[in-house]
Amino acid sequence: MTAVATATGTDPAPTAPVSDLLEPYLGPFAGVVVSAGIFLVVLAGVYVINKAVFSPFVGRLFDRQGLDEHARRPLQKIATFLVLFAGVTVAFGAAGYQGFLRSLATIAAAATLAVGFALQDVIKNFVAGVFIYTDKPFRIGDWIEWKDNSGVVEDISFRVTRVRTFDNELLTVPNHALTSDVVKNPVAKKTLRLKFVFGIDYGDDIDRATEIIVEEAERSEAILEDPAPSVRLTELADSYVGLQARIWIDDPSRADFVKARADYVKAVKARFDEEDITIPFPQRTVSGRDAWTEPASFGGEA
């Protein structure tokens, strides 16, 4: 029996008493059968403990941290994998497969090193995905902007984030691209401030134009009363005086943002027309110190 145990890479000590009892029935395979049985029993026990104790504990821990459902699922899978991996290790040890376990650990270490070099980008995106889940810079359904792109987040995985643009194009973005650069999330808070510059003629009444801009903001149902709308003179441009309106909308989304701003600007433009306040076109004045003489090639005097 010892020879069989050595050939299979097992330690006969943990299973010797039971093997002696089964040897009359199984012969030289008694040790192998007992070791395999211990391995399966320990592994099944770890699986049951994970389902009954560890998995609910992790769920309560995630509840305490306030994690969203889309973040809980992959993290729960990772925790389950780690527990089962530990269970396999314990089962190998309990069954007396120390020699096999040492060989497996050596092979796994070498394989991990090789895979690590080959999958650097995948690992980088995986780590970035973990940071997205923990830091929560944006959530599924949020409208985000980064570099020259913008859209609504449809899915977040550990490797990529999928964003639907406003032209209905689906962007698959590596997570590293969203954690290594600035990402703007206009809808992260419950309110959003919008700014728009109205240009009026230099000859128009600035105070009256300011009153109109504020009045139309107060009339709009989409614009909040608190914080109150405000207007600031921000530009003295070449052909207009710039009055910047600052308004706030509640529970913003991309559609709300575009519609609220468009309706508001349209209402202010209509009031400007009624009050004879001009939104001027760009103008240029050309002047010279001396009188202009038509060139000789055009029929003038040389």
Side-chain angles (χ1 to χ4, degrees):
M1 184 183 68
T2 304
V4 174
T6 304
T8 56
T10 65
D11 185 358
T15 61
V18 180
S19 299
D20 292 340
L21 295 176
L22 296 178
E23 188 171 1
Y25 306 98
L26 300 177
F29 298 101
V32 176
V33 172
V34 171
S35 296
I38 293 175
F39 175 84
L40 294 176
V41 169
V42 172
L43 189 60
V46 171
Y47 179 81
V48 171
I49 292 173
N50 175 67
K51 283 290 187 181
V53 179
F54 186 77
S55 185
F57 170 76
V58 172
R60 290 193 297 270
L61 182 62
F62 289 163
D63 289 338
R64 195 174 304 169
Q65 295 296 323
L67 288 180
D68 294 335
E69 184 63 25
H70 76 271
R72 293 165 58 96
R73 290 181 182 178
L75 292 177
Q76 190 83 40
K77 290 180 180 178
I78 291 176
T80 301
F81 172 79
L82 293 176
V83 171
L84 294 180
F85 181 80
V88 170
T89 304
V90 173
F92 272 123
Y97 291 108
Q98 283 87 356
F100 177 77
L101 189 60
R102 284 192 293 269
S103 300
L104 183 63
T106 303
I107 295 173
T112 301
L113 184 62
V115 170
F117 280 112
L119 301 178
Q120 292 184 54
D121 289 339
V122 174
I123 295 173
K124 180 169 61 176
N125 288 320
F126 175 82
V127 174
V130 172
F131 283 129
I132 290 176
Y133 279 114
T134 56
D135 296 342
K136 293 184 283 190
F138 51 81
R139 303 168 183 264
I140 292 177
D142 282 359
W143 151 39
I144 63 172
E145 298 178 357
W146 76 102
K147 294 184 178 179
D148 296 327
N149 301 297
S150 63
V152 176
V153 179
E154 286 197 346
D155 181 58
I156 303 173
S157 68
F158 275 114
R159 191 179 66 85
V160 298
T161 296
R162 292 176 177 83
V163 180
R164 179 75 61 179
T165 70
F166 301 110
D167 294 328
N168 203 33
E169 299 171 336
L170 182 63
L171 302 182
T172 302
V173 188
N175 287 331
H176 177 69
L178 296 176
T179 57
S180 61
D181 207 340
V182 176
V183 176
K184 183 168 72 172
N185 186 348
V187 297
K189 304 299 181 180
K190 292 184 178 180
T191 58
L192 174 66
R193 188 178 74 173
L194 308 181
K195 296 184 291 185
F196 190 87
V197 176
F198 295 95
I200 66 173
D201 193 85
Y202 272 89
D204 290 331
D205 188 341
I206 295 177
D207 293 335
R208 182 55 185 157
T210 300
E211 292 175 1
I212 292 173
I213 294 172
V214 173
E215 288 174 2
E216 291 304 318
E218 293 173 345
R219 290 181 180 179
S220 174
E221 295 181 357
I223 298 174
L224 297 176
E225 297 180 359
D226 185 23
S230 62
V231 179
R232 298 288 185 272
L233 195 158
T234 57
E235 294 183 63
L236 295 176
D238 292 340
S239 56
Y240 67 88
V241 176
L243 301 177
Q244 185 185 79
R246 301 178 182 184
I247 56 176
W248 294 81
I249 62 174
D250 189 23
D251 194 17
S253 68
R254 171 72 180 190
D256 296 335
F257 160 73
V258 173
K259 186 176 187 305
R261 186 177 65 174
D263 292 345
Y264 172 58
V265 173
K266 182 179 179 181
V268 173
K269 172 63 169 61
R271 285 291 304 280
F272 277 1
D273 293 342
E274 293 176 4
E275 302 280 345
D276 292 327
I277 294 177
T278 306
I279 299 178
F281 296 101
Q283 302 177 25
R284 292 186 181 276
T285 301
V286 180
S287 62
R289 294 183 179 179
D290 302 322
W292 180 75
T293 304
E294 187 176 0
S297 59
F298 293 159
E301 295 180 359

